[in-house]
Amino acid sequence: MANAASYFVDRHVEEGRGSNCAYREAAGHRRSLTYAELARDAGIAGQAFLNAGFVREDRIALLLLDQIEYPALLWGCLKAGVIPVLLNTLLSTRIYAQILDDSRARGLVVSAELWPVIAPLLPDHPHLQKVVVVGAMPAGAADLAVPYDHFLAGAEPLATLHTRDDEIAFWLYSSGSTGAPKGVRHVHAALRATADTFGQQVLAIRQDDVVFSAAKIFFAYGLGNAVTFPQSVGATTILFNGRPTPDTVTEVIARERPTIFCGVPTLFAAILAHFDTQGAPDHRLRLSTSAGEALPAEIGQAWDRRIGSQILDGVGSTEMLHIFLSNRPGDIVYGTSGTAVPGYDLRCVNEAGDEITEGEVGELLVRGASAADGYWNQRDKSRATFEGEWTRTGDKYERRGDGRFVYCGRTDDMFKVSGIWVSPFEVEQAIIEHDAVLEAAVVAKEDADRMLKPKAFVVLKDAARAVEVQEVIRDFVKDRIGKWKYPRWVEIVDDLPKTATGKIQRFRLREDA
């Protein structure tokens, strides 16, 4: 059962859960897929790839919205032994060209809605041999691609290919929060490793759960939420192919009645602001989860009050596939990232590589079975990140006496003021406590004496309060976290630059500071 598709797809049919609903679409489409239908459709998709001339270990780029065909194509690739490369759906044509060149994908499957951004790079592309469009064929697409139903025509469900646990199963591309995306290669066993650890021992996913993840499948966090965890127990996933805005997310929660909702900090903050004017849905979630960035304590506490659901704030990465450090149900301390997920080991080290003591700040390293095999064509970065069994996260943490970890910022984001380390996240949390503030990001900026000081970029709930906030925010922060940490400059902005997975791109803010 080394092939992940055997465990996550075929097993449910063999053990009598074939009639369980695996996926259903939200927002009016209402298409659904049982586990038996998923096994059949994945087998047909896998055979179609072989019929089209693809062979084992060929890369197939999947540029898909979260729609019913996505899981069938993903598992179909694994069943056939070809390697799906899950692509962010919000990039530019230029970045897609770079990723397709880097991965040398021989095939591409694209949602019809995304055709306009991908079409300009297709003519005479050196590696692509087959392009498939899922949905209504756009004008002009027939010259470059085939419809999905034509691609599947004549294919019969194949038997799942036997693979090894440590054989490459799929690729993800890192979100680019610190620069250009990198191809991250994961093995078959990594998928079950995340389900057996966070999915079972923290989330405690159940067969009767209904999961709605605002984080999309192409994101490592979303892949676990929407695919791996529910499919580990025969549960149901709600697929939403639109943009997760506060109003659309609220509508999906109200209509689809999920038991588990998976979001990111910026979305939780925006939804709470939406509740202030539009009201919260009349539905209690069993649990909510957050990742991507550390969750401000104020947001977690407010969500608890308004929606009656704790948020399990956790830390994961594309390199580790999902969450390895987290708060747990009934054991949540907002403002911390919790403790190690069972199955993972953590340590914090200083610049010399020595373990830090209680109250100090160091870089977090993690060891666990879901670690990536490495970066594609990035040998130096692979050697710098993957140190034997340990993976460097690039995150700075303080380790408390009770064993909990407190996020302090990315390694590249930390800076010293008057010789003392300042955590941008700590300053941001203090700013967010102001009732007028929706979001904040802090970076280092040189003053007239070429000394580094904090600068804050602030998004307000009501732009009319801009003058007031700029005048009071400095003293507001001083009173909460210390005289030297307050932002010397406060710039009110309409929004913050983010990756498609919701991470703030502070490197872009540093360029503008």
Side-chain angles (χ1 to χ4, degrees):
M1 199 180 280
N3 191 313
S6 297
Y7 180 78
F8 289 99
V9 181
D10 302 338
R11 176 175 60 95
H12 297 297
V13 179
E14 295 163 1
E15 296 178 358
R17 290 181 294 277
S19 62
N20 286 15
C21 179
Y23 293 91
R24 70 172 187 258
E25 292 181 329
H29 296 289
R30 308 304 296 171
R31 295 186 300 169
S32 62
L33 206 60
T34 66
Y35 276 89
E37 291 167 338
L38 174 61
R40 178 202 65 202
D41 289 359
I44 290 172
Q47 185 61 55
F49 284 117
L50 299 182
N51 291 350
F54 297 109
V55 299
R56 189 169 181 167
E57 299 183 355
D58 274 347
R59 268 89 66 188
I60 308 294
L62 301 183
L63 181 59
L64 295 167
L65 301 175
D66 280 17
Q67 56 193 95
I68 212 78
E69 292 85 1
Y70 203 156
L73 282 159
L74 171 61
W75 294 116
C77 286
L78 270 63
K79 278 175 167 281
V82 295
I83 298 173
V85 181
L86 281 56
L87 298 188
N88 182 331
T89 60
L90 299 173
L91 301 178
S92 67
T93 302
R94 179 181 62 85
I95 300 299
Y96 287 130
Q98 291 176 356
I99 290 175
L100 289 173
D101 286 341
D102 180 64
S103 66
R104 296 199 289 273
R106 293 185 62 222
L108 167 67
V109 186
V110 57
S111 293
E113 295 88 340
L114 302 173
W115 178 258
V117 74
I118 205 75
L121 62 83
L122 296 181
D124 303 318
H125 193 280
H127 306 301
L128 286 175
Q129 297 183 13
K130 174 77 75 174
V131 179
V132 178
V133 175
V134 178
M137 288 288 282
D143 295 334
L144 300 168
V146 298
Y148 186 52
D149 56 349
H150 289 193
F151 173 69
L152 298 179
E156 295 292 332
L158 53 62
T160 300
L161 178 74
H162 176 73
T163 61
R164 301 188 180 203
D165 279 343
D166 58 1
E167 188 170 328
I168 299 298
F170 63 99
W171 291 16
L172 300 170
Y173 268 81
S174 63
S175 63
S177 61
T178 59
K182 300 179 290 293
V184 183
R185 301 173 297 163
H186 278 288
V187 301
H188 281 266
L191 288 164
R192 183 164 179 182
T194 62
D196 289 347
T197 54
F198 184 82
Q200 293 295 327
Q201 300 182 62
V202 177
L203 194 60
I205 186 95
R206 306 187 306 232
Q207 184 174 319
D208 62 351
D209 274 320
V210 177
V211 182
F212 171 40
S213 177
K216 301 300 186 179
I217 292 174
F218 68 77
F219 180 21
Y221 173 50
L223 178 65
N225 302 337
V227 178
T228 313
F229 300 158
Q231 283 195 225
S232 70
V233 295
T236 300
T237 295
I238 303 300
L239 292 175
F240 175 61
N241 69 2
R243 185 170 169 234
T245 61
D247 54 340
T248 59
V249 167
T250 301
E251 181 182 351
V252 172
I253 290 174
R255 176 187 292 182
E256 303 295 342
R257 320 290 285 181
T259 59
I260 298 174
F261 171 65
C262 308
V264 296
T266 53
L267 180 59
F268 280 114
I271 293 172
L272 284 167
H274 179 76
F275 288 169
D276 288 341
T277 58
Q278 303 298 319
D282 181 23
H283 174 62
R284 290 181 66 88
L285 297 159
R286 182 170 78 81
L287 279 176
S288 300
T289 69
S290 180
E293 291 217 306
L295 181 77
E298 176 78 10
I299 300 302
Q301 293 158 359
W303 186 262
D304 242 342
R305 293 191 301 268
R306 295 300 302 275
I307 202 91
S309 164
Q310 292 181 318
I311 299 178
L312 305 184
D313 181 28
V315 177
S317 67
T318 307
E319 290 78 6
M320 293 303 295
L321 191 54
H322 211 274
I323 292 171
F324 50 81
L325 168 63
S326 182
N327 286 273
R328 304 184 193 186
D331 185 25
I332 291 176
V333 178
Y334 289 122
T336 79
S337 298
T339 57
V341 169
Y344 293 91
D345 298 313
L346 302 173
R347 61 191 179 102
C348 272
V349 301
N350 59 23
E351 288 84 352
D354 300 323
E355 293 266 0
I356 63 170
T357 59
E358 178 185 334
E360 293 184 323
V361 174
E363 182 182 358
L364 184 68
L365 278 69
V366 56
R367 176 171 63 187
S370 63
D373 190 61
Y375 299 123
W376 171 253
N377 282 348
Q378 300 266 359
R379 184 168 181 261
D380 287 346
K381 289 184 178 179
S382 291
R383 294 176 71 186
T385 300
F386 304 101
E387 299 183 349
E389 293 183 320
W390 292 92
T391 299
R392 286 188 172 273
T393 66
D395 290 323
K396 290 281 193 180
Y397 271 87
E398 174 191 343
R399 186 168 195 164
R400 299 194 337 183
D402 61 2
R404 296 180 186 276
F405 290 80
V406 178
Y407 181 69
C408 296
R410 294 288 298 171
T411 301
D412 293 341
D413 294 334
M414 297 285 290
F415 57 94
K416 285 186 176 181
V417 175
S418 301
I420 303 173
W421 282 111
V422 168
S423 160
F425 182 69
E426 182 185 18
V427 184
E428 291 163 7
Q429 277 203 307
I431 296 171
I432 289 170
E433 290 179 17
H434 193 286
D435 63 6
V437 175
L438 179 62
E439 294 181 280
V442 171
V443 299
K445 174 182 171 67
E446 286 188 348
D447 63 14
D449 297 320
R450 305 199 67 181
M451 303 295 290
L452 293 179
K453 299 292 189 297
K455 175 177 179 177
F457 294 84
V458 176
V459 180
L460 300 179
K461 297 175 183 175
D462 181 358
R465 299 184 65 179
V467 175
E468 169 201 340
V469 173
Q470 282 182 309
E471 290 178 350
V472 305
I473 205 72
R474 296 173 184 84
D475 289 336
F476 188 81
V477 173
K478 283 181 188 177
D479 292 341
R480 281 159 175 74
I481 59 173
K483 304 296 183 184
W484 76 95
K485 299 179 183 179
Y486 76 93
R488 276 45 166 196
W489 305 271
V490 177
E491 183 174 338
I492 306 300
V493 295
D494 293 332
D495 51 42
L496 299 173
K498 299 185 186 77
T499 68
T501 57
K503 294 181 181 180
I504 297 172
Q505 295 177 309
R506 289 176 180 80
F507 73 93
R508 290 178 57 187
L509 293 175
R510 285 195 291 270
E511 294 170 358
D512 296 336

